[in-house]
């Protein structure tokens, strides 16, 4: 065990297994103490690297993240404390790896329940190599005004109440981390506060003992008195008894061993810690307290009397001139986290995104206020989900079924159309699914699959203004605009698009009104008189029928219908539907292991 001080105001640590809250608490403590540099030099998160953003006062800083202990030690050779937040399953292996690093002197093991055989190996190696272990099953330790481990001493409010932002004169050591926080407060009330506090951990085999730290404190000039809090079980306190008897400790020691109530129970009692279980009379709290008293420690008659005994011992040292007054300082205020300040009502912060269609903050996600479980229990389909997320309401079943029919009919139109061709070529170039899908989607526009919105927009405008079909068509011709939704490269008067016929048949059977579709048919009749291929295509059918769906359902205002058409909802339906086919073509090419595509020369006209 190393002697003397193990921490200072320049101590830096490596933090194993990223935990945001304890690291931020360490950095807040640093700022409170007026440290110039953060106490966390680096974070070790196995398999990861990069940076983690945290706050050092008001300044946001980036702390490096390393994938291995070795890499972290090489990057931060001055960091000599290793704070291990690994689980009990891996704490031993990672702690041993840390102990073997020449730059690390102190290893704090937070996990409880580290196997005893592993703990013994760690202790043996540490002692043989002059290293210090704090834990296992510890909250850590703190040197007031200089450095603290993880969650030691709790919240900033508690740290300020305990005066830990500046050094006092008391060295404190305990088995219990929770009781350490209590005693820091007690000591601050009746003394000038602690200089250093350590929780050695509550497992059966702690890496360092109560007497190890008392002997250290005895060698630290700033420590004028020591307070020890032991507990029943084990024999650790007897090593302190021997040190006192042998005169190795020259400063006053106030000690109390908790667990005196164990004798009130008829059977053996296991208290909170693995080590807090009396195995015989010598391990009882009463026997330990008496032995400490006999060896010269100041031992109160009860835990309730501990505070007054600490006070008396401190005041006596002050009277004798052994403890000079500690100047009080005002610690800087720690900036409050935004979320905390918002919850407490101290600030108003503007949001950055508005969402009206879904909410995932509760026990389950909701689509337009409908819980996910309700969607499943009521047997909603894809059309229902689209109606909730796109239109923010539950449309009648005939509407959502129509949406699903549109998705099915538009899912694919063979490998030769531009979108499918692009996806196929991209997939054969070895690109991933998303790249292949996007390359196909990028071809959707006014010439391929993007005319649904325009068809709805122009048909609605013409119908609402009472234009005769010939007036509408001839007016568009004068403007040099092709009528969206009319015309097909393959289909004609005698070879109608089956998809259009299916949509029209469904609408006639289920829609309360098909006035826009009938108007589109009248337009088609006029355009067919001009040319045989100026037949209504699927864009025109969907565009006109969606107008009938929106107006006939009675669930949308005129303003809402205009907004839906203007925003581009209907083209969105084609994008959604065609994505199914483009993904299918991508999978098809991958499955067939098709090679890189090269367009044939004979299909290109080479000319000057």
């Amino acid at each position: 065990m190393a002697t003397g001080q193990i921490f200072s105001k320049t101590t830096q640590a490596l933090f194993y297994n990223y935990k945001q809250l304890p690291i931020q608490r360490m950095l807040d403590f640093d700022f409170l103490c007026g440290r110039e540099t953060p106490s966390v030099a680096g974070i070790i998160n196995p398999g990861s690297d990069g940076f983690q953003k945290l706050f050092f006062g008001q300044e946001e800083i980036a702390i490096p993240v390393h994938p291995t202990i070795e890499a972290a030690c090489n990057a931060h050779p001055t960091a000599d404390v290793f704070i291990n937040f690994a689980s009990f399953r891996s704490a031993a292996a990672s702690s041993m790896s840390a102990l073997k690093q020449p730059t690390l002197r102190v290893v704090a093991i937070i996990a409880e329940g580290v196997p005893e055989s592993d703990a013994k190996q760690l202790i043996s190696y540490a002692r043989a190599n002059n290293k210090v272990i704090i834990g296992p099953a510890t909250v850590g330790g703190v040197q007031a005004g200089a450095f603290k481990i993880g969650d030691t001493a709790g919240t900033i409010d508690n740290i300020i109440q305990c005066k830990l932002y500046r050094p006092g004169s008391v060295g404190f050591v305990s088995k219990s981390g929770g009781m350490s926080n209590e005693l820091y407060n007690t000591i601050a009330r009746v003394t000038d506060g602690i200089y250093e506090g350590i929780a050695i951990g509550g497992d059966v085999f702690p890496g360092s003992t109560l007497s190890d730290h008392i002997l250290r404190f005895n060698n630290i000039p700033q420590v004028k008195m020591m307070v020890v809090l032991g507990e029943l079980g084990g024999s650790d306190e007897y090593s302190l008894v021997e040190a006192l008897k042998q005169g190795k400790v020259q400063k006053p020691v106030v000690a109390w061993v908790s667990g005196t109530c164990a004798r009130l129970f008829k059977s053996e009692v296991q208290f909170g810690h693995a080590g807090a279980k009396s195995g015989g009379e010598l391990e009882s709290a009463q026997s330990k307290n008496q032995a400490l008293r006999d060896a010269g420690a100041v031992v109160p008659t009860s835990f309730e009397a501990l505070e007054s005994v600490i006070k008396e011992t401190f005041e006596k040292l002050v009277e004798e001139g052994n403890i000079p007054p500690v100047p009080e300082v005002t610690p800087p205020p720690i900036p409050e986290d935004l979320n905390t300040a918002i919850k407490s009502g101290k600030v108003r912060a503007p949001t950055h995104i508005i969402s009206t269609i879904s909410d995932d903050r509760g026990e389950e996600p909701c689509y337009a206020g409908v819980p996910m479980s309700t969607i499943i229990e009521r047997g909603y389909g894809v059309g229902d989900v689209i109606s909730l997320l796109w239109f923010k309401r539950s449309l009648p079943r005939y509407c959502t079924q129509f949406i699903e029919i549109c998705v099915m009919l538009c899912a694919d139109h063979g490998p030769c159309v531009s979108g499918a061709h692009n996806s196929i070529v991209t997939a054969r170039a070895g690109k991933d699914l998303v790249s292949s899908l996007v390359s196909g989607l990028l071809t959707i526009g006014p010439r391929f699959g993007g005319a649904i919105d325009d068809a709805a927009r122009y048909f609605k405008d013409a119908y609402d203004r009472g234009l005769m079909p010939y007036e509408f068509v001839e007016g568009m011709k004068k403007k040099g605009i092709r009528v969206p939704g009319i015309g097909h490269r393959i289909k004609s008067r005698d070879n109608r698009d089956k998809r259009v016929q299916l949509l029209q048949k469904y609408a006639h059977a289920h829609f309360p009104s098909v006035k826009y579709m009938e108007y589109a048919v009248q337009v088609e009749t006029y355009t067919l008189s001009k040319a045989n291929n100026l037949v209504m295509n699927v864009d025109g059918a969907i565009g006109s029928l969606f107008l009938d769906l929106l107006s006939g359902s009675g669930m949308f205002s005129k303003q809402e219908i205009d907004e839906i058409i203007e925003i581009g909802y209907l083209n969105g339906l084609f994008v959604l539907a065609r994505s199914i086919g483009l993904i299918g073509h991508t999978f098809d090419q991958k499955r067939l292991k098709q090679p890189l595509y090269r367009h044939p020369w004979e299909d290109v006209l080479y000319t000057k």
Side-chain angles (χ1 to χ4, degrees), residues 420-488:
H421 178 82
N422 267 25
S423 290
I424 289 170
V425 171
T426 307
R428 289 180 59 169
K431 299 290 284 186
D432 59 279
L433 170 63
V434 174
S435 300
S436 302
L437 170 62
V438 169
S439 71
L441 291 176
L442 288 174
T443 64
I444 295 176
R447 295 184 179 181
F448 168 59
I452 303 178
D453 280 313
D454 283 341
R457 190 176 296 117
Y458 282 111
F459 283 144
K460 184 176 187 301
D461 177 70
Y463 178 86
D464 292 349
R465 289 196 293 133
L467 296 179
M468 297 298 292
Y470 77 90
E471 292 179 307
F472 168 51
V473 174
E474 295 302 327
M476 294 286 283
K477 184 178 179 180
K478 287 180 181 179
K479 296 175 184 177
I481 303 173
R482 294 181 179 181
V483 178
I486 297 293
H488 203 285

Side-chain angles (χ1 to χ4, degrees), residues 46-252:
S48 302
D49 56 16
F51 294 89
Q52 281 290 346
K53 294 194 301 179
L54 293 127
F55 284 98
F56 186 64
Q58 289 183 320
E59 179 187 1
E60 196 169 23
I61 61 174
I63 297 182
V65 178
H66 304 280
T68 65
I69 296 171
E70 293 78 7
C73 289
N74 289 334
H76 311 284
T78 59
D80 58 3
V81 177
F82 183 82
I83 302 173
N84 194 346
F85 264 77
S87 71
F88 70 93
R89 299 178 186 87
S90 59
S94 49
S95 296
M96 181 60 79
S97 178
L99 288 170
K100 291 181 178 179
Q101 303 302 314
T103 56
L104 296 175
R105 295 184 306 109
V106 180
V107 173
I109 307 171
I110 309 302
E112 183 178 356
V114 174
E116 293 178 5
S117 59
D118 292 338
K120 289 179 180 179
Q121 290 180 4
L122 292 170
I123 294 167
S124 176
Y125 185 90
R127 289 181 177 169
N129 291 274
N130 200 32
K131 305 282 179 106
V132 178
I133 294 178
I134 302 172
T138 181
V139 73
V142 57
Q143 182 176 318
F147 176 82
K148 91 177 184 83
I149 293 171
D151 290 318
T152 301
T155 65
I156 288 296
D157 288 341
N158 190 64
I159 287 170
I160 292 174
Q161 286 181 358
C162 297
K163 303 176 184 176
L164 295 174
Y165 50 83
R166 51 80 174 147
S169 303
V170 181
F172 173 76
V173 62
S174 166
K175 287 185 176 179
S176 168
M179 289 304 297
S180 292
N181 290 348
E182 294 291 332
L183 265 292
Y184 294 154
N185 197 292
T186 298
I187 292 170
R189 284 199 303 269
V190 296
T191 74
D192 61 5
I194 72 159
Y195 183 82
E196 185 181 323
I198 297 289
I200 65 170
D203 278 1
V204 177
F205 296 101
S208 53
T209 66
L210 299 173
S211 59
D212 285 337
H213 293 286
I214 290 297
L215 291 171
R216 265 200 321 109
F217 295 159
N218 193 67
N219 294 330
I220 300 175
Q222 297 93 326
V223 174
K224 306 301 182 182
M225 63 175 283
M226 284 88 86
V227 176
V228 180
L229 185 65
E231 62 187 21
L232 80 165
S235 59
D236 190 5
E237 290 80 2
Y238 288 107
S239 63
L240 177 56
V241 169
E242 289 304 311
L244 289 167
K245 286 182 177 179
Q246 294 172 17
K248 294 181 179 179
V249 182
Q250 290 80 43
K251 300 172 183 179

Side-chain angles (χ1 to χ4, degrees), residues 246-438:
Q246 294 172 17
K248 294 181 179 179
V249 182
Q250 290 80 43
K251 300 172 183 179
V253 176
V254 177
W256 175 254
V257 179
S258 61
T260 54
C261 66
R263 285 185 177 176
L264 299 176
F265 298 93
K266 295 181 180 179
S267 59
E268 191 173 55
V269 180
Q270 171 71 61
F271 286 80
H273 296 148
K277 181 178 181 180
S278 180
E281 179 59 29
L282 284 175
E283 294 187 19
S284 69
Q286 284 84 351
S287 295
K288 291 182 178 182
N289 279 324
Q290 188 59 51
L292 286 164
R293 188 179 291 113
D294 294 342
V298 182
V299 180
T301 55
S302 65
F303 179 77
E304 288 74 15
L306 180 59
E307 181 174 339
S308 61
V309 170
I310 295 171
K311 181 179 181 182
E312 292 168 6
T313 305
F314 176 78
E315 289 177 347
K316 184 179 179 181
L317 289 169
V318 172
E319 290 174 7
E320 295 172 350
N322 293 320
I323 298 180
V326 173
E328 271 302 339
V329 296
T330 301
I334 299 295
E336 222 173 347
D337 287 342
L338 181 60
N339 289 338
T340 304
I342 291 173
K343 287 180 180 178
S344 64
K346 293 180 179 179
V347 297
R348 293 182 301 190
T351 56
H352 297 90
I353 293 176
I354 301 173
S355 175
T356 66
I357 64 170
S358 63
D359 191 339
D360 62 344
R361 293 171 299 175
E363 294 183 1
E364 58 177 320
C366 293
Y367 293 168
V370 180
M372 190 67 67
S373 57
T374 301
I375 292 172
I376 301 302
E377 290 165 1
R378 293 183 181 177
Y380 282 6
V382 172
D384 297 284
V385 171
I386 293 173
S387 76
L388 291 171
L389 291 178
W390 291 16
F391 302 107
K392 294 171 40 176
R393 65 203 74 187
S394 290
L395 295 175
R397 181 57 187 151
Y398 78 86
C399 294
T400 59
Q401 192 168 358
F402 176 77
I403 292 173
E404 291 177 7
I405 290 172
C406 291
V407 171
M408 289 187 285
L409 293 180
C410 295
D412 191 51
H413 202 52
C416 296
V417 295
S418 58
H421 178 82
N422 267 25
S423 290
I424 289 170
V425 171
T426 307
R428 289 180 59 169
K431 299 290 284 186
D432 59 279
L433 170 63
V434 174
S435 300
S436 302
L437 170 62
V438 169

